[in-house]
Amino acid sequence: MSFTFHCRVIGETLIACITGSLVAGNRFSLSKKLSKRISHDDVNVILDISGVEYIDSMGMGDLAVISSIVKKHYGHLTIISPKREVTELINNAFFGKHVEIKESVDA
């Protein structure tokens, strides 16, 4: 299964809602699609991954690339609403650095 996403901008924040699976078999990577949407004006990026069912090492790599792109623009990356298994993967891969994980935007 591939992933889909839709974006909206609120002030200086780009919010991307992602559903599906972030895996190597996807034709286009999330980082390539999002890098086209992230501008110098979008200082902060919020990824709502509540709809992500599965993520593999390729998907984790995409998250790392997105984090680098956001930091290059002196912004901040927040991931919201991940499933428990996905949260564990992110925490293990990033060791609690580079990415903030929240249960919701208001958390």
Side-chain angles (χ1 to χ4, degrees):
M1 177 183 178
S2 63
F3 68 90
T4 60
F5 78 101
H6 64 276
C7 296
R8 68 184 188 275
V9 177
I10 299 175
E12 296 180 340
T13 302
L14 174 72
I15 301 171
C17 298
I18 304 157
T19 58
S21 297
L22 298 177
V23 296
N26 290 342
R27 183 164 179 215
F28 297 104
S29 71
L30 178 64
S31 59
K32 285 182 183 178
K33 289 183 175 186
L34 271 181
S35 66
K36 294 176 184 177
R37 298 294 309 262
I38 297 171
S39 72
H40 298 289
D41 297 332
D42 304 326
V43 178
N44 300 304
V45 175
I46 295 174
L47 298 180
D48 178 348
I49 62 171
S50 58
V52 172
E53 295 297 325
Y54 182 75
I55 186 169
D56 68 3
S57 59
M58 186 69 150
M60 294 301 295
D62 269 351
L63 294 180
V65 169
I66 293 165
S67 177
S68 296
I69 292 168
V70 171
K71 288 190 181 304
K72 178 180 159 187
H73 294 294
Y74 302 101
H76 184 75
L77 174 64
T78 303
I79 295 176
I80 61 166
S81 304
K83 295 187 180 348
R84 189 185 87 245
E85 300 83 10
V86 174
T87 300
E88 290 172 8
L89 283 171
I90 294 169
N91 283 333
N92 289 338
F94 289 102
F95 307 107
K97 300 176 187 174
H98 310 292
V99 178
E100 181 178 13
I101 301 173
K102 294 184 175 184
E103 288 184 27
S104 68
V105 174
D106 297 321

